[in-house]
Amino acid sequence: MNTSEKVAEVSLHLEPLISDLGLILMTAGIAVLIFRKLKQPLVLGYLIAGFLAGNHFDFFPSVKEMKSVEVWAEIGVIFLLFSLGLEFSFKKLMKVGGTASITAGIQIVTMCVLGYSVGQWMDWSKMDSVFLGVILSISSTTIILKSFDELGVKTQKFAGIVIGSLIVQDILAILMMVLLSTIAVSNQFSGMDLLLSVLKLVFFLVIWFLGGIFIIPTVLKKTKHLLTDEMLLIISLALCLTMVGLAANVGFSPALGAFIMGSIIAETTQAEHIEHLVKPVKDLFGAVFFVSVGMLIDPAALYEHALPVLILSFVTIFGQSISSTLGALLSGQPLKDAIRTGMSLSQIGEFSFIIATLGVTLKSTSSFLYPIVVAVSAVTVFTTPFMIKYSLPFSEYLAQNLPRKLTKRIERYSASTQAIKTVSLWQTVINAFLIQVVVLVVIILAIILLSSRYIEPLVDDYPFGNVLGALITLSIIAPFLWALAFRRVAISEVEQLMHDRKSRGPLTMLFFIRILLSIFLIVLLLKVFFSPRIALIALVIAIVIYLIFQKRLHIRYHKIENHFLANLNGREIAKAKRSRSDLTPWDGHMAVFDIAIESNIAGKSLKNLKLREELGINIVSIKRGEITIHIPNANERIFPGDEVCVIGTDTQVQEFKKYLDQHETDISPEMKEPDIVLRQIELKNHTFIGKSIKESKLREKTKGMIVGIEKRGNRILNPESYVILEKDDVLWIVGDKKLLADLVHD
């Protein structure tokens, strides 16, 4: 074959690829312009663009090679999940708290059951019904965030609950994808298989997260001066695809690997920069993915299944809204915030497409499910902005028209739930115990498994090779074994519990559980390299050596832990410092400090403090509320709550920190702060009924203030002193706990 023939053959294969991609992007671009002009969600535009470019619409040029589009769509899913991981951060999940977790949990469980039941009611197969339940349970992060931006409600309280719920939903969606893959492959609902899948998922999640946080931020930090934007983008995408390969090799979805790597990079100091660099790639392949979804819209199938589309759209909008509202109410949110939260979460989107794609890929679902899901998504995406927009007037309408007894019960439940902020000592200790045990056991097991797979075969043929292999592995896991057996957790809480005689037994039991786990893991390791009889002798020797080198293991483990924590908290530390290396010569750097309320340097001028003369540092700015004073003069004073930015060497900055600590005045033990609480009081036969707030002297009696009144169904926040108190009014008073208790019992 000559050169011209080869070129012709390549062109023949290349031409559909290029022309198809051009058609997809051109159609998507036009659709985006039209939908932006109409102020409608762009995802809906992509779906319609896909429908026009697909093979089901004859009045428009069609895509020729669907296989190429499917490959691009898979890449699109990977980059969508990678970008979602970059915005996610595991620490964000820890901060969303119980409200978001309860709301998302109740919504997902309710919708899974409801979706499965509706599928069975429509005589669908069990597998179709299972996939339907999961598909209908996940709201659309992309659509909600975009709608919040367009409507300007992102800073409102209910929006925070919604965003937290979306984070929890995304994590649970990843878990459900793994479980669905297991069910689809085995085609049975085995509880043991599902449990093993969950344990396997937890094992690999912990290993990937710990290993990633330990290694990747360190590498990025060490090579920061070498990385251009181009190199950083290439390395980020390479890390993403490497994790995709690892996830696929152990039997998980490639999307899971992309999400995990994104969440690991989210903890690095360069996360925002990487997110910015990846965004164009994500937008390109994400658009191809959504367009490819639209290509699967078959008008004939939609006409045939119009009734299921209408039923499922109704189930999604109302089911999501009601279940999310109930979840938010049960978590202790007020009625209005709960309703607005529920109405915002009333759609399905990108994750539903991904789960539906999974069903098609595994050939577990019927051909009609995918186009129905796409149609339901299109309907619910279109209604989302209106649901969010009208959630406020609707919540106000319900608050006015629901039975008064019901609204009062909801408000009392909300107040009592939000007032519970303390965590029991035992809960703190158990949480710390479980986290430490799970993490360390997973690390040790992973090292033992790797050793059995790679080290043991290498040393097996050599004399005393098994001894050498066991020693190498034991030296690696030794710091983690020490931490599992002896590292103290929740120290102050344990010390408090030890004063209670009843708590000493359970605490001792927890300690012995850790010791037994450590011995079990040593036995497991020795069993890999030795026969049971020799392993028993080796166990005794290993424990003796282990006890002799305790101090060294302690130091070694803390070095590993400190390195991990430095990487984990690097992003927050960098933000806190807000360092500007371009303003600091040589070995100097900037650091930011808060002036404590109790500091006795507060009120003094910089001239009187003589910080430059005594400590060698310079104050370059003072931030006071919303005002920042750059290069303050000598007469400028320091006030409590100020945020001062200083320039100095590491030693000088450390000395300044000590200086601030030394000048904080200690509060005398006798100066005990009053126990201030929020209490709800319903007026029945109180003597101050008929008087104004000022005349009632409630401020003097409770050493507090009235912050709210519910009067005949209306709420008044921070009422004026002339407001008259009437029977059946509900007062919200912030004041001294004891005095308020006396007032309630009057």
Side-chain angles (χ1 to χ4, degrees), residues 1 21 216 451 516 556 603:
M1 187 182 289
L21 183 59
I216 291 171
S451 178
L516 290 172
R556 190 172 163 194

Side-chain angles (χ1 to χ4, degrees), residues 61-103:
S62 300
V63 167
K64 298 174 184 175
E65 289 280 346
M66 281 301 294
K67 287 185 178 179
S68 300
V69 178
E70 288 170 7
V71 172
W72 291 331
E74 287 178 17
I75 297 172
V77 171
I78 288 169
F79 287 131
L80 277 173
L81 269 293
F82 180 57
S83 297
L84 189 63
L86 284 172
E87 298 171 6
F88 168 72
S89 164
F90 277 95
K91 283 184 286 187
K92 238 185 226 181
L93 180 63
M94 304 304 291
K95 292 176 183 176
V96 297
T99 298
S101 302
I102 293 169
T103 303

Side-chain angles (χ1 to χ4, degrees), residues 463-516:
F464 301 105
N466 52 355
V467 176
L468 179 62
L471 285 173
I472 292 170
T473 311
L474 189 61
S475 65
I476 296 170
I477 66 172
F480 305 107
L481 280 170
W482 171 85
L484 179 60
F486 299 113
R487 184 177 178 273
R488 300 174 69 190
V489 295
I491 297 170
S492 60
E493 287 81 1
V494 170
E495 287 177 352
Q496 291 180 58
L497 287 171
M498 286 299 286
H499 293 299
D500 180 12
R501 189 175 297 175
K502 293 179 181 178
S503 300
R504 292 174 189 170
L507 287 172
T508 306
M509 183 63 69
L510 290 179
F511 175 72
F512 277 115
I513 288 172
R514 292 167 57 184
I515 295 290
L516 290 172

